[in-house]
Amino acid sequence: MSISLLTFVVALAVVVVLLGVVVGVLISRQSKELPPPDPDVAEQIDEQVAEQAPTIERPEEPRGSLIRLRARLARSQGSLGQGLLAILGRDRLDEAAWEEIEDTLLAADVGVVPTQEFIETLRTRLRVEGAQDPVRAKAVLRDELIKVVGPDFDRSLVSTGADGNPGVVLVVGVNGTGKTTTVGRIARALVAEDKTVLLGAADTFRAAAADQLQTWGERVGVLTVRGPEGGDPASVGFEAVKRGMEEGFDTVLVDTAGRLHTKAGLMDELGKVKRVIEKIAPVTEVLLVIDATTGQNGLTQARVFSEVVDVSGIVLTKLDGTAKGGIVIAVQRELGVPVKFVGLGEGVDDLAPFDPTEFVDALLDT
Ligand code: GDP
């Protein structure tokens, strides 16, 4: 190759590299100097984003929520399970040990009769199957606890009606037990299952109660039917269910006043709410909300409410605030109906469907 040709090639290469550098610099400057956004266009986009992402909340994934709630249950109820395991783990199970087991169960609000029966069966099984092996003893305890908690109850919420009617869920209980919170949480869970839900604020005695319910509804994009303050609770319940039928809702959740079970007039009114609603559609579920921290008092409430309305399921709230999880067993015995949900905190997703095996495993931390 001649020298002049070589010079030409080198010069050409230099020119190409320089050109590349200049073009690169230009492109990068251009991308940095984008014109400011047109305010009108920006506003339109903002509006679209607002429309696409309304402030309505989506409940937490059920799976994640259950794992979190199980950990919380284990934290509050662990002492019951660990207490029983510690006694069963001893070398000898003498009378004193069995008395301690009895005391532990009674202290956890299991109730006298279920405690006696439970101890009877556990003693017999451990005598036959041997209590020496702690792993075996724990398995027997787990098995018997699951049995006493009742694995055969149908614990599903009847949230849909027959013949094209909506499911009508009436939520009852004494003031402060967590009724409104429960209605709100169930609404969230149903919305997460893509069900259409309507709320009925049949607690017309306190405007604050209807406001609280409506706020729950608004958070998950659910409408609340309200009546005038001091108005007839039965007609609010009726109106909500009527609208639910006319507009094809899947479920109508009716929050009722926290009438004191000692006041006969108020209890009669609760019976009337149910009767009036049933003129147009069957009530598919009556959930009685009981505060787990109230012990015997909760059981008395359960008895009185079940005389006025046919309770079909129990919601045991505030189980996070007590180690007395045995109330699950006692209240089911008292009413013969299952605990369907447990409340394990004040958060929006802190209501869990009750599952006996999960419950016992949380007690025993297995
Ligand atoms: P209502 O009067 O029966 O409607 O009761 P509310 O729904 O207003 O609840 C009364 C209080 O109990 C509120 O402060 C709730 O946050 C609280 N609460 C409800 N459920 C639970 C629960 O499972 N755990 C705890 N720790 N607090 C709860």
Short mmCIF file of all heavy atoms in Angstrom, two decimals, residues 174-182 185 206 212 255 317-321 343-346 350, ligand 1:
data_model
loop_
_atom_site.label_atom_id
_atom_site.label_comp_id
_atom_site.label_asym_id
_atom_site.label_seq_id
_atom_site.Cartn_x
_atom_site.Cartn_y
_atom_site.Cartn_z
N VAL A 174 -73.23 -6.85 71.19
CA VAL A 174 -73.22 -5.72 72.12
C VAL A 174 -72.27 -4.62 71.62
O VAL A 174 -71.28 -4.93 70.95
CB VAL A 174 -72.81 -6.23 73.53
CG1 VAL A 174 -72.48 -5.09 74.47
CG2 VAL A 174 -73.91 -7.10 74.11
N ASN A 175 -72.60 -3.38 71.93
CA ASN A 175 -71.75 -2.23 71.57
C ASN A 175 -70.30 -2.43 71.95
O ASN A 175 -70.02 -2.90 73.06
CB ASN A 175 -72.23 -1.01 72.36
CG ASN A 175 -73.02 -0.09 71.48
OD1 ASN A 175 -73.06 -0.27 70.27
ND2 ASN A 175 -73.65 0.89 72.09
N GLY A 176 -69.42 -2.08 71.04
CA GLY A 176 -68.00 -2.10 71.37
C GLY A 176 -67.32 -3.44 71.14
O GLY A 176 -66.11 -3.57 71.32
N THR A 177 -68.11 -4.47 70.76
CA THR A 177 -67.48 -5.77 70.54
C THR A 177 -66.70 -5.81 69.22
O THR A 177 -65.80 -6.62 69.05
CB THR A 177 -68.54 -6.90 70.52
OG1 THR A 177 -69.58 -6.52 69.60
CG2 THR A 177 -69.14 -7.15 71.88
N GLY A 178 -67.08 -4.92 68.29
CA GLY A 178 -66.38 -4.89 67.00
C GLY A 178 -67.29 -5.19 65.82
O GLY A 178 -66.82 -5.67 64.78
N LYS A 179 -68.59 -4.92 65.97
CA LYS A 179 -69.55 -5.22 64.88
C LYS A 179 -69.25 -4.45 63.61
O LYS A 179 -69.12 -5.04 62.54
CB LYS A 179 -70.97 -4.81 65.31
CG LYS A 179 -71.73 -5.87 66.01
CD LYS A 179 -73.13 -5.44 66.34
CE LYS A 179 -73.35 -4.09 66.89
NZ LYS A 179 -72.60 -3.49 67.90
N THR A 180 -69.15 -3.12 63.76
CA THR A 180 -68.96 -2.29 62.56
C THR A 180 -67.63 -2.63 61.88
O THR A 180 -67.56 -2.75 60.66
CB THR A 180 -69.03 -0.80 62.95
OG1 THR A 180 -70.25 -0.60 63.68
CG2 THR A 180 -69.04 0.09 61.74
N THR A 181 -66.61 -2.81 62.70
CA THR A 181 -65.31 -3.19 62.17
C THR A 181 -65.43 -4.50 61.39
O THR A 181 -64.87 -4.66 60.31
CB THR A 181 -64.30 -3.37 63.34
OG1 THR A 181 -64.37 -2.22 64.17
CG2 THR A 181 -62.90 -3.58 62.86
N THR A 182 -66.19 -5.44 61.95
CA THR A 182 -66.36 -6.74 61.30
C THR A 182 -67.09 -6.60 59.96
O THR A 182 -66.68 -7.20 58.96
CB THR A 182 -67.13 -7.70 62.25
OG1 THR A 182 -66.34 -7.89 63.42
CG2 THR A 182 -67.42 -9.03 61.59
N ARG A 185 -64.67 -5.23 57.48
CA ARG A 185 -63.64 -6.19 57.06
C ARG A 185 -64.22 -7.27 56.16
O ARG A 185 -63.58 -7.73 55.22
CB ARG A 185 -63.02 -6.84 58.29
CG ARG A 185 -62.10 -5.93 59.08
CD ARG A 185 -61.91 -6.53 60.46
NE ARG A 185 -60.83 -5.91 61.17
CZ ARG A 185 -60.51 -6.22 62.42
NH1 ARG A 185 -61.19 -7.14 63.07
NH2 ARG A 185 -59.51 -5.62 63.02
N ARG A 206 -77.04 5.87 66.74
CA ARG A 206 -75.85 6.71 66.80
C ARG A 206 -75.43 7.07 65.38
O ARG A 206 -75.08 6.19 64.58
CB ARG A 206 -74.70 5.95 67.46
CG ARG A 206 -74.96 5.52 68.90
CD ARG A 206 -73.82 4.65 69.41
NE ARG A 206 -73.65 3.45 68.57
CZ ARG A 206 -72.51 2.79 68.45
NH1 ARG A 206 -71.43 3.20 69.07
NH2 ARG A 206 -72.44 1.71 67.70
N GLN A 212 -69.23 5.72 60.60
CA GLN A 212 -68.09 4.78 60.66
C GLN A 212 -68.25 3.69 59.61
O GLN A 212 -67.30 3.34 58.90
CB GLN A 212 -68.06 4.17 62.07
CG GLN A 212 -66.81 3.37 62.39
CD GLN A 212 -66.99 2.55 63.67
OE1 GLN A 212 -67.88 2.81 64.47
NE2 GLN A 212 -66.15 1.55 63.85
N ASP A 255 -75.45 -3.87 59.43
CA ASP A 255 -74.89 -3.60 60.76
C ASP A 255 -76.05 -3.18 61.67
O ASP A 255 -76.86 -2.34 61.29
CB ASP A 255 -73.87 -2.45 60.64
CG ASP A 255 -73.09 -2.22 61.92
OD1 ASP A 255 -73.04 -3.12 62.76
OD2 ASP A 255 -72.51 -1.12 62.06
N THR A 317 -63.87 -11.50 68.31
CA THR A 317 -62.90 -10.42 68.07
C THR A 317 -61.93 -10.30 69.25
O THR A 317 -62.16 -10.87 70.31
CB THR A 317 -63.62 -9.07 67.92
OG1 THR A 317 -64.42 -8.85 69.07
CG2 THR A 317 -64.47 -9.03 66.67
N LYS A 318 -60.88 -9.56 69.04
CA LYS A 318 -59.89 -9.18 70.06
C LYS A 318 -59.18 -10.39 70.66
O LYS A 318 -58.76 -10.37 71.82
CB LYS A 318 -60.54 -8.31 71.15
CG LYS A 318 -61.36 -7.17 70.53
CD LYS A 318 -61.84 -6.16 71.51
CE LYS A 318 -62.89 -5.26 70.86
NZ LYS A 318 -63.40 -4.23 71.73
N LEU A 319 -59.06 -11.44 69.88
CA LEU A 319 -58.32 -12.62 70.33
C LEU A 319 -56.83 -12.27 70.47
O LEU A 319 -56.08 -13.00 71.11
CB LEU A 319 -58.51 -13.76 69.32
CG LEU A 319 -58.52 -15.19 69.83
CD1 LEU A 319 -59.42 -15.38 71.02
CD2 LEU A 319 -58.91 -16.16 68.73
N ASP A 320 -56.43 -11.16 69.86
CA ASP A 320 -55.04 -10.70 70.00
C ASP A 320 -54.79 -10.12 71.40
O ASP A 320 -53.67 -10.02 71.84
CB ASP A 320 -54.72 -9.63 68.95
CG ASP A 320 -55.74 -8.48 68.99
OD1 ASP A 320 -56.94 -8.77 68.90
OD2 ASP A 320 -55.32 -7.32 69.12
N GLY A 321 -55.89 -9.77 72.08
CA GLY A 321 -55.72 -9.08 73.36
C GLY A 321 -55.90 -10.00 74.56
O GLY A 321 -56.03 -9.54 75.68
N GLY A 343 -61.02 -12.12 65.10
CA GLY A 343 -60.37 -10.82 64.94
C GLY A 343 -59.07 -10.84 65.71
O GLY A 343 -59.02 -11.24 66.86
N LEU A 344 -58.00 -10.44 65.01
CA LEU A 344 -56.68 -10.53 65.64
C LEU A 344 -55.93 -9.21 65.61
O LEU A 344 -54.70 -9.19 65.48
CB LEU A 344 -55.86 -11.62 64.94
CG LEU A 344 -56.35 -13.04 65.25
CD1 LEU A 344 -55.91 -14.02 64.19
CD2 LEU A 344 -55.85 -13.49 66.61
N GLY A 345 -56.67 -8.11 65.69
CA GLY A 345 -56.02 -6.80 65.69
C GLY A 345 -56.97 -5.75 65.20
O GLY A 345 -58.11 -6.05 64.82
N GLU A 346 -56.50 -4.50 65.24
CA GLU A 346 -57.38 -3.39 64.85
C GLU A 346 -57.23 -3.03 63.38
O GLU A 346 -57.94 -2.16 62.89
CB GLU A 346 -57.08 -2.17 65.73
CG GLU A 346 -57.43 -2.40 67.17
CD GLU A 346 -57.63 -1.10 67.94
OE1 GLU A 346 -58.59 -0.38 67.65
OE2 GLU A 346 -56.79 -0.82 68.80
N ASP A 350 -57.30 -7.55 59.63
CA ASP A 350 -57.01 -8.40 60.78
C ASP A 350 -58.17 -9.32 61.17
O ASP A 350 -58.35 -9.65 62.35
CB ASP A 350 -56.60 -7.54 62.00
CG ASP A 350 -55.22 -6.94 61.80
OD1 ASP A 350 -54.49 -7.42 60.91
OD2 ASP A 350 -54.87 -5.99 62.52
P1 GDP B 1 -69.22 -1.92 67.60
O1 GDP B 1 -69.65 -0.88 68.58
O2 GDP B 1 -69.61 -3.29 68.03
O3 GDP B 1 -69.64 -1.63 66.18
O4 GDP B 1 -67.61 -1.95 67.66
P2 GDP B 1 -66.54 -1.28 66.70
O5 GDP B 1 -66.52 -1.96 65.39
O6 GDP B 1 -66.75 0.20 66.70
O7 GDP B 1 -65.18 -1.66 67.45
C1 GDP B 1 -64.90 -1.24 68.78
C2 GDP B 1 -63.37 -1.19 68.96
O8 GDP B 1 -62.84 -2.50 68.94
C3 GDP B 1 -62.65 -0.43 67.87
O9 GDP B 1 -61.64 0.36 68.45
C4 GDP B 1 -62.01 -1.53 67.01
O10 GDP B 1 -60.83 -1.11 66.37
C5 GDP B 1 -61.71 -2.57 68.07
N1 GDP B 1 -61.60 -3.92 67.51
C6 GDP B 1 -62.48 -4.58 66.71
N2 GDP B 1 -62.02 -5.82 66.42
C7 GDP B 1 -60.82 -5.96 67.04
C8 GDP B 1 -59.86 -7.04 67.14
O11 GDP B 1 -60.00 -8.13 66.60
N3 GDP B 1 -58.74 -6.79 67.90
C9 GDP B 1 -58.55 -5.60 68.55
N4 GDP B 1 -57.45 -5.47 69.27
N5 GDP B 1 -59.43 -4.59 68.48
C10 GDP B 1 -60.56 -4.76 67.74
#
